[in-house]
Amino acid sequence: MEDYHTTHNIYTVNDSKYLVRILKEPLLIRQNEVIVHSAAADKFIAPKIYHHQHTKEFSLIIMDFIPESTLSLEQAKDYYTIDFIARKVKSIQELDLNFTLRTRNLFTVIIENYEKIKNKNLIIDPIFEEILDKVKIIYQKFENNARPLVISHNDLHPRNIFFTGTDVIIIDWEMVGFNDQFYDLAVYSLCACLNEKDDFYLLKQYLQKDPCSDDMQHFNIVKLLARVTYVFSTFEFLNHIPEVLSVESFNNFEYYENIFAQDSTANSSELLLALGVSQLQLFLEEYKSFKI
């Protein structure tokens, strides 16, 4: 989701533009973000950093301003772009870091977000109860086929990705941490609205071989969990839902996601509601084919 805990300012020096990012998250998150962003920039994954505070605060980064627009869904679906994404995810996982990152447990994150939503007394709580029951079943499958924990961006949606024409640059590293091997790929897939054929190609490029049935099954499980994480994190930003709400009226996630991806200021409650409900619909549809 969009970063609500930073401030961005753009400055021009000698006809070159630079972005100053003011970090306001808790210290450990700021520290992780700065260090991992620096390491990623050295591998041409993230924008080049010219300065960051070396004090214990870790609250400021000065980096390249990327003039291009973030990925449209059309670009995100293109196999040329998918090739880049698969390589970048692999490069993120191979970053050489000399400190310990936090581990992002998918079930714990979902439960934490669920509790935050429950405290708001939103009117679709019964649906969330149903989803939570399904998540418990899915997560058991996930644990039975656990993959390695790797360094993950954890928020790899098109709004955080720039395509320069010859490369892909990834921004906003505040959610970085250890996660399942396929998590970044799954988040990209669901936010780019990839289909089964696209997912197969994405995994093939990442694995550098045809994914086996176990690979695809695990990827689909991670994608289901990522959908719930996306739904809950979206609703976490809402404080009100109309009393008359037709869940079926928000069934075109790709339409709403394309708006969200292309406009960094598109954060209205109406759009977030549409994103959350339409993504919820996709989860329920995909769960029907989930094999217990």
Side-chain angles (χ1 to χ4, degrees):
M1 297 298 296
E2 177 68 6
D3 176 14
Y4 289 88
H5 303 288
T6 63
T7 301
H8 302 79
N9 297 297
I10 301 170
Y11 297 93
T12 302
V13 180
N14 296 329
D15 296 326
S16 296
K17 288 186 176 181
Y18 301 91
L19 188 142
V20 178
R21 184 176 170 92
I22 309 298
L23 311 180
K24 301 178 181 179
E25 304 96 338
L27 176 59
L28 181 59
I29 295 176
R30 297 199 306 268
Q31 183 180 26
N32 286 351
E33 178 177 359
V34 171
I35 294 175
V36 176
H37 184 150
S38 297
D42 289 341
K43 298 294 184 181
F44 307 103
I45 303 169
K48 181 179 179 180
I49 290 182
Y50 294 92
H51 172 77
H52 68 79
Q53 285 185 336
H54 292 277
T55 67
K56 63 180 180 179
E57 293 300 319
F58 288 93
S59 60
L60 181 146
I61 304 175
I62 301 175
M63 60 186 176
D64 269 337
F65 170 73
I66 309 298
E68 286 81 7
S69 299
T70 51
L71 280 182
S72 67
L73 292 200
E74 182 179 1
Q75 290 173 317
K77 292 172 181 287
D78 188 279
Y79 280 16
Y80 183 61
T81 307
I82 290 175
D83 288 346
F84 276 108
I85 294 298
R87 291 199 297 269
K88 295 292 182 176
V89 167
K90 195 74 173 178
S91 295
I92 291 170
Q93 296 175 0
E94 294 171 350
L95 289 175
D96 185 14
L97 303 174
N98 59 0
F99 72 103
T100 302
L101 289 171
R102 54 186 172 164
T103 298
R104 191 170 169 84
N105 181 280
L106 293 178
F107 188 72
T108 300
V109 170
I110 289 171
I111 294 297
E112 288 175 350
N113 288 342
Y114 168 77
E115 291 298 333
K116 292 176 183 177
I117 295 169
K118 189 175 180 180
N119 290 337
K120 295 181 179 183
N121 296 315
L122 299 180
I123 64 172
I124 58 174
D125 275 353
I127 298 178
F128 288 148
E129 295 278 0
E130 177 188 344
I131 289 177
L132 201 59
D133 289 339
K134 290 177 168 54
V135 164
K136 292 174 183 177
I137 296 171
I138 297 167
Y139 193 73
Q140 185 61 55
K141 277 278 191 179
F142 172 84
E143 284 194 313
N144 291 341
N145 191 29
R147 297 296 177 98
L149 293 178
V150 296
I151 301 171
S152 303
H153 181 276
N154 286 322
D155 200 18
L156 200 63
H157 62 69
R159 190 186 274 190
N160 283 338
I161 303 169
F162 292 87
F163 182 55
T164 66
T166 58
D167 203 359
V168 163
I169 303 296
I170 300 170
I171 63 169
D172 289 2
W173 295 80
E174 68 270 16
M175 293 179 66
V176 68
F178 286 108
N179 207 333
D180 183 85
Q181 178 185 18
F182 288 165
Y183 187 76
D184 277 348
L185 299 173
V187 170
Y188 182 82
S189 172
L190 68 89
C191 290
C193 303
L194 302 187
N195 58 32
E196 289 185 22
K197 180 181 177 182
D198 300 333
D199 284 345
F200 185 90
Y201 182 80
L202 175 63
L203 276 184
K204 179 178 180 178
Q205 296 307 106
Y206 167 79
L207 296 169
Q208 289 297 292
K209 64 178 183 179
D210 283 349
C212 65
S213 59
D214 285 346
D215 293 327
M216 292 305 304
Q217 181 187 49
H218 187 70
F219 178 81
N220 289 331
I221 289 172
V222 175
K223 193 170 176 178
L224 279 171
L225 293 172
R227 282 205 190 279
V228 177
T229 303
Y230 190 111
V231 170
F232 282 10
S233 62
T234 301
F235 276 91
E236 189 183 335
F237 289 109
L238 296 176
N239 291 312
H240 174 72
I241 292 179
E243 291 186 9
V244 179
L245 175 65
S246 171
V247 174
E248 291 74 18
S249 64
F250 299 107
N251 58 6
N252 190 347
F253 172 72
E254 185 166 348
Y255 171 78
Y256 302 116
E257 179 64 18
N258 196 42
I259 295 173
F260 183 79
Q262 279 295 276
D263 184 357
S264 62
T265 65
N267 296 312
S268 69
S269 295
E270 293 78 12
L271 177 60
L272 292 179
L273 176 63
L275 281 168
V277 175
S278 58
Q279 183 81 294
L280 186 155
Q281 287 288 83
L282 286 174
F283 168 80
L284 293 175
E285 289 174 12
E286 291 178 0
Y287 182 81
K288 293 176 182 177
S289 61
F290 176 71
K291 296 179 180 179
I292 300 175

